[in-house]
Amino acid sequence: MHKNAPLISGLMAALLSLLALSYLMSSDSHFPIYQWPYQAFQGIVFSLVWGFGVSTTIGYLYALFIVVCVAVLAFACGHKIYRMCRR
């Protein structure tokens, strides 16, 4: 067992979760695939600003917080699942 294997597993889980979030938010758009992450982020910002009526700056901060939380939670889950499977 490589000592960095749980770290790599967590990073892969975080990357896959961010790709899934991007796909979920942008898959039905007419934009090319390389623009999906940007469009997904803008979609989250738009939803927060328009739906909750917060200012644009707060919308960007909340959207960034959401993306970071998704990545951190997915990293923690991937890390934990790898450690549980290796026992």
Side-chain angles (χ1 to χ4, degrees):
M1 180 170 117
H2 196 269
K3 69 178 182 174
N4 289 332
L7 176 71
I8 294 169
S9 176
L11 289 174
M12 291 300 294
L15 179 65
L16 288 175
S17 70
L18 291 176
L19 288 174
L21 178 65
S22 177
Y23 177 78
L24 179 70
M25 296 293 294
S26 303
S27 64
D28 60 345
S29 70
H30 64 281
F31 295 103
I33 292 176
Y34 66 88
Q35 290 182 353
W36 282 6
Y38 176 74
Q39 293 304 323
F41 186 75
Q42 293 298 323
I44 295 170
V45 171
F46 174 78
S47 298
L48 292 170
V49 170
W50 186 76
F52 293 112
V54 298
S55 70
T56 306
T57 305
I58 299 298
Y60 276 103
L61 291 174
Y62 283 166
L64 184 62
F65 180 71
I66 289 169
V67 170
V68 168
C69 282
V70 166
V72 168
L73 289 173
F75 176 85
C77 289
H79 188 273
K80 182 72 172 178
I81 288 171
Y82 183 84
R83 289 183 56 179
M84 286 175 29
C85 290
R86 293 301 297 174
R87 288 185 185 181

